[in-house]
Amino acid sequence: SNDIPVIAIDGPTASGKGTVAAGVAQALGWHILDSGAIYRLVALASMRREVAAGDEAALVELAGHLDIRFDVDGAWLDGECVADAIRQEAVGARASVIAALPEVRAALLARQRQFRQVPGLVADGRDMGTVVFPRAQLKVFLVAAAQARAERRYNQLKAKGISANLEDLLRDLMERDARDTGRKAAPLVPASDAMTLDSSAMTAAEVIAQVLSLYRARIAAAV
Ligand code: CDP
Ligand code: CDP
């Protein structure tokens, strides 16, 4: 499975990773791994089972035995569709707290690598290029100004009919950035061989086209 190509897309919250990964995967006809959703599923399961965010042993046990599935409707936990539930900001915040625990990360490693299937995989998260797929054919580190990212989240929520406050979103997002960047275990940093792409002034379609052209250039250079 090490011959199967991988495009890794890492970056902070609301930089557009999920949207770009989906667009690139669709264009190439590849599989997709939303690794953040896996951390969110562990977070949601822990909240429902009242496991404390600091109880590492219980969280490792939970992560190792999680009954999860992905399909066109999104993520499923214990046979229930939780696509909307895992998108709540409280779940994202909890995910970023438990994602700082090295043993929880280790418990999820093999599960993530199983997504690497023919003809290829587009994986998005924080450590796709650094830890999970260190030999990925292309690594993109997608960034955008915090204000632009807060506005993206705001518009996403508004489109779903959910009311939100821009200042609160900006504050939550900066808190989560600090936690993800500052942790010891798989911190949010670009891989040494990643291409950093600033999407602050780009549309999602432009970013998708840019990633596809980077990948094609990579392939052309390799033959
Ligand atoms: O996965 P991540 O948290 O990085 O971000 P996302 O949920 O894929 O994207 C956040 C929102 O920003 C989506 O509504 C996108 O349509 C929008 N957006 C984008 O993804 N890329 C841009 N260059 C501009 C906007
Ligand atoms: O969509 P958004 O970018 O806001 O977050 P996400 O990708 O769904 O990830 C939620 C949280 O899980 C992040 O804040 C990270 O702390 C953690 N995560 C991680 O540690 N490693 C990954 N590969 C993906 C997510």
Side-chain angles (χ1 to χ4, degrees):
S1 92
N2 279 328
D3 306 330
I4 301 171
V6 175
I7 297 177
I9 303 180
D10 290 307
T13 182
S15 55
K17 302 177 302 296
T19 304
V20 170
V24 170
Q26 197 188 7
L28 296 171
W30 288 10
H31 299 278
I32 190 152
L33 165 60
D34 174 0
S35 64
I38 295 182
Y39 286 91
R40 286 171 182 270
L41 284 162
V42 179
L44 181 65
S46 76
M47 290 160 86
R48 289 185 169 177
R49 292 173 206 184
E50 297 180 10
V51 174
D55 188 347
E56 186 160 11
L59 291 168
V60 169
E61 173 71 20
L62 195 63
H65 295 94
L66 216 54
D67 172 14
I68 61 175
R69 186 163 63 81
F70 292 94
D71 70 8
V72 286
D73 296 322
W76 294 69
L77 175 66
D78 298 324
E80 177 196 342
C81 182
V82 292
D84 289 334
I86 62 165
R87 291 299 142 201
Q88 297 168 61
E89 190 45 43
V91 176
R94 167 71 76 108
S96 111
V97 171
I98 64 178
L101 302 170
E103 308 221 335
V104 171
R105 305 196 70 84
L108 297 173
L109 205 51
R111 207 189 269 272
Q112 294 176 79
R113 289 185 174 145
Q114 282 164 5
F115 282 79
R116 185 176 202 167
Q117 286 177 25
V118 283
L121 175 69
V122 184
D124 90 87
R126 302 291 186 288
D127 63 342
M128 298 299 97
T130 50
V131 176
V132 182
F133 303 109
R135 315 202 51 161
Q137 278 67 14
L138 176 66
K139 300 177 185 179
V140 173
F141 196 73
L142 192 56
V143 299
Q147 185 69 34
R149 291 187 284 125
E151 282 165 14
R152 289 177 189 175
R153 272 289 181 263
Y154 181 83
N155 291 330
Q156 247 178 339
L157 290 167
K158 218 174 65 180
K160 281 200 214 163
I162 303 168
S163 68
N165 175 294
L166 193 58
E167 271 90 75
D168 290 348
L169 286 171
L170 183 61
R171 193 200 52 231
D172 290 349
L173 168 156
M174 289 170 80
E175 256 174 44
R176 196 132 66 83
D177 281 358
R179 195 154 49 221
D180 290 350
T181 307
R183 71 189 178 204
K184 284 210 182 73
L188 173 66
V189 288
S192 57
D193 53 349
M195 307 278 301
T196 296
L197 236 167
D198 187 337
S199 71
S200 303
M202 291 169 85
T203 65
E206 286 169 340
V207 179
I208 291 165
Q210 174 94 57
V211 173
L212 286 168
S213 95
L214 283 170
Y215 180 68
R216 289 185 182 121
R218 226 6 105 78
I219 293 305
V223 291

